[in-house]
Amino acid sequence: MNGGGTRRWGWGSGRAENLRADAQAAKDAAAAAFYELDTAQRDLRISIETISAVDSSPAARQAVAGFADFGTRIDSVSHDYITAVDSHDLDRDDLDTGAAARARSELDKARQDLERVKSELDRFAESLGPVLTQAENQLARLAPAVERARQGLLAASNALDAVRGKGLKADDLAARLARLSPELTKLNEGAGAHGVQETVQRADKVVREAEAIRGEAERLPEKAADIDKRLTSLRTRTQALQTRAGQVEPVLSELRRRFSVACWQDLQQVPQQAEHSARQADEKLREARTAREEQRWPDATALLSTVRALLNTTDEAVKAAGERLQRLNEVSFDHSKEVERTRFAIRDAQRLAMAGRSTPDPRHAQPLDSAVERVDRAVASLTGRHPDYWHLLTELDAVKETVQHVVEQIRHERAGGH
């Protein structure tokens, strides 16, 4: 070196310097390619982690496997690049033309390999678009879903506090809310511990259950008032039915005195059954009152339904005895009115059957002719000192039902039915 600190290259030093510059340019280009590939791999890794966290479909598994394969290839070309860089010191004073040319060649090849893998990686990333979009949509639901779950639990808890403030117990609702605590813990642990899809599903489940609890809690005062109202109403009905049940025996006594056994035999057990059912209703009503006082709402509701069913059944039986006596009184005084009403219904059906026809359809004529004969036989059966008027009434009722069926059949057929 001279005193000025400049290099002495001697013969061919200009060409060596140009080759050094070309090699350095190749090194810079390879470094840029290495950086771009590394950046692309890092970006795609985030996408792959998103997909694998959310999606377990075959397409998602294929994407993960494909990215792993690219990882191996990227490691290989990156290793070749680093080896090429480490193998050549382009700042050496004694760098000859051959070493510079080799450095440029190896670094160019490393760049080309890096760029080729980068291009293939870009195409692979583009192919993941639909799968990635779906995964990102799932992730976008995650935070709002978890927040809705937390808000739902808070609203349910506040609703429980409000009804308790009104002196109402809600132990069953509180127990249901307590059972959601482990679910909240898992939500707080996050999707990293339990997976995005499972966490979203868990959040949705918590929202549904919390909303159900809140709704039931808010309706509890109304339910309590409704049960109180039903208790009062059914108590009144029970007392009225007990009074009416006591009136069945005199009705039966009159039926026995004035009509044949066939007219009242099926009603013999009504007084005992009515009395028994009324006692049962009274007992269940007391149990319902106790359940209401203890705020066992489902029990109270079930018991009140039992009371209503008992009262309905007994009411029908008691009513049947009174209606039987009334109908028998009417028909025994003058059975011609009931018979004439039935005959009129038959004639009306016959006119309908003949409308627009010269002869009736046998499917309609046969049951109507049989109905006429049945009425005649029922009237003829009224013999003896105590005729079986109940048989007459049941036969006439049956005939009217048959006639009505024929009328409906004719109308249906003429309306275009089959």
Side-chain angles (χ1 to χ4, degrees):
M1 293 195 134
N2 61 18
T6 57
R7 290 192 184 96
R8 291 176 54 208
W9 292 100
W11 184 87
S13 62
R15 181 168 178 267
E17 197 62 28
N18 287 337
L19 287 173
R20 183 199 297 272
D22 290 344
Q24 185 62 51
K27 180 180 179 181
D28 293 343
F34 175 78
Y35 174 77
E36 288 178 2
L37 177 59
D38 182 65
T39 301
Q41 183 186 25
R42 290 176 186 275
D43 291 344
L44 187 55
R45 178 177 286 110
I46 295 172
S47 298
I48 292 295
E49 288 173 351
T50 299
I51 292 171
S52 62
V54 174
D55 196 346
S56 59
S57 68
R61 291 196 296 271
Q62 185 177 357
V64 174
F67 183 72
D69 291 341
F70 267 105
T72 302
R73 294 173 58 192
I74 290 170
D75 287 346
S76 176
V77 295
S78 297
H79 176 267
D80 292 344
Y81 159 73
I82 293 169
T83 300
V85 170
D86 290 345
S87 299
H88 302 285
D89 183 3
L90 300 182
D91 292 329
R92 284 171 43 202
D93 288 343
D94 59 348
L95 181 72
D96 58 35
T97 57
R102 285 194 301 275
R104 176 186 174 182
S105 176
E106 291 178 13
L107 289 166
D108 275 343
K109 182 179 183 304
R111 173 186 56 77
Q112 290 168 2
D113 290 344
L114 291 166
E115 289 175 346
R116 185 187 70 255
V117 174
K118 165 69 164 50
S119 178
E120 293 171 359
L121 186 67
D122 288 343
R123 286 196 296 273
F124 174 72
E126 187 176 349
S127 73
L128 298 180
V131 179
L132 179 59
T133 298
Q134 183 177 350
E136 288 173 341
N137 289 340
Q138 286 272 22
L139 274 176
R141 290 179 54 205
L142 178 62
V146 172
E147 181 58 25
R148 282 196 304 273
R150 292 189 178 120
Q151 292 301 320
L153 288 171
L154 178 61
S157 178
N158 289 340
L160 282 175
D161 290 342
V163 297
R164 285 169 176 154
K166 296 177 180 178
L168 294 170
K169 292 191 297 184
D171 294 343
D172 56 331
L173 296 179
R176 282 167 56 186
L177 187 61
R179 285 196 292 271
L180 292 178
S181 180
E183 299 298 304
L184 179 60
T185 299
K186 290 178 181 178
L187 288 177
N188 289 333
E189 288 169 353
H194 302 287
V196 173
Q197 196 164 9
E198 182 180 345
T199 301
V200 170
Q201 290 173 350
R202 175 175 288 112
D204 290 343
K205 175 185 174 184
V206 169
V207 167
R208 288 193 301 273
E209 181 62 17
E211 286 180 349
I213 293 170
R214 178 189 57 78
E216 290 182 41
E218 290 176 348
R219 289 190 297 271
L220 201 52
E222 181 183 345
K223 178 187 286 188
D226 179 61
I227 287 176
D228 289 340
K229 182 179 178 180
R230 290 169 65 190
L231 277 166
T232 302
S233 173
L234 290 174
R235 165 62 63 192
T236 302
R237 273 193 67 187
T238 302
Q239 292 170 344
L241 188 59
Q242 287 170 335
T243 301
R244 290 179 59 206
Q247 297 169 354
V248 176
E249 190 57 53
V251 170
L252 274 178
S253 179
E254 185 172 354
L255 285 168
R256 295 190 197 101
R257 180 172 56 83
R258 296 179 49 210
F259 300 98
S260 64
V261 173
C263 292
W264 47 262
Q265 192 170 21
D266 60 315
L267 299 175
Q268 279 289 89
Q269 302 302 316
V270 170
Q272 294 87 344
Q273 291 171 350
E275 185 181 349
H276 176 69
S277 295
R279 283 200 308 269
Q280 269 192 309
D282 199 43
E283 179 183 341
K284 295 297 180 185
L285 206 54
R286 285 196 298 271
E287 292 179 15
R289 173 69 66 184
T290 301
R292 162 63 182 92
E293 291 170 354
E294 295 175 356
Q295 298 190 31
R296 291 184 285 110
W297 310 114
D299 291 344
T301 301
L303 285 163
L304 289 174
S305 296
T306 301
V307 171
R308 178 181 288 106
L310 283 167
L311 293 177
N312 289 343
T313 302
T314 309
D315 193 48
E316 287 299 319
V318 171
K319 187 189 299 182
E323 289 178 350
R324 178 80 56 89
L325 178 58
Q326 181 182 352
R327 292 193 70 190
L328 288 172
N329 278 335
E330 292 172 355
V331 78
S332 66
F333 177 73
D334 180 9
H335 66 266
S336 62
K337 292 181 180 179
E338 191 67 31
V339 172
E340 185 52 36
R341 276 196 292 266
T342 307
R343 292 191 192 280
F344 178 82
I346 296 172
R347 289 194 300 270
D348 200 40
Q350 288 172 331
R351 282 193 295 271
L352 180 63
M354 287 298 297
R357 302 177 63 96
S358 57
T359 57
D361 188 324
R363 293 175 303 155
H364 308 147
Q366 191 278 327
L368 293 177
D369 289 344
S370 297
V372 172
E373 296 170 2
R374 196 170 177 181
V375 172
D376 292 340
R377 287 195 302 271
V379 173
S381 70
L382 296 177
T383 59
R385 183 181 176 189
H386 292 292
D388 189 351
Y389 290 112
W390 186 239
H391 172 71
L392 173 67
L393 287 173
T394 54
E395 279 292 280
L396 295 180
D397 287 344
V399 166
K400 283 183 281 192
E401 186 175 337
T402 298
V403 170
Q404 181 61 31
H405 176 72
V406 173
V407 169
E408 290 173 356
Q409 184 180 13
I410 293 171
R411 289 174 176 164
H412 177 69
E413 291 169 357
R414 292 181 182 175
H418 298 286

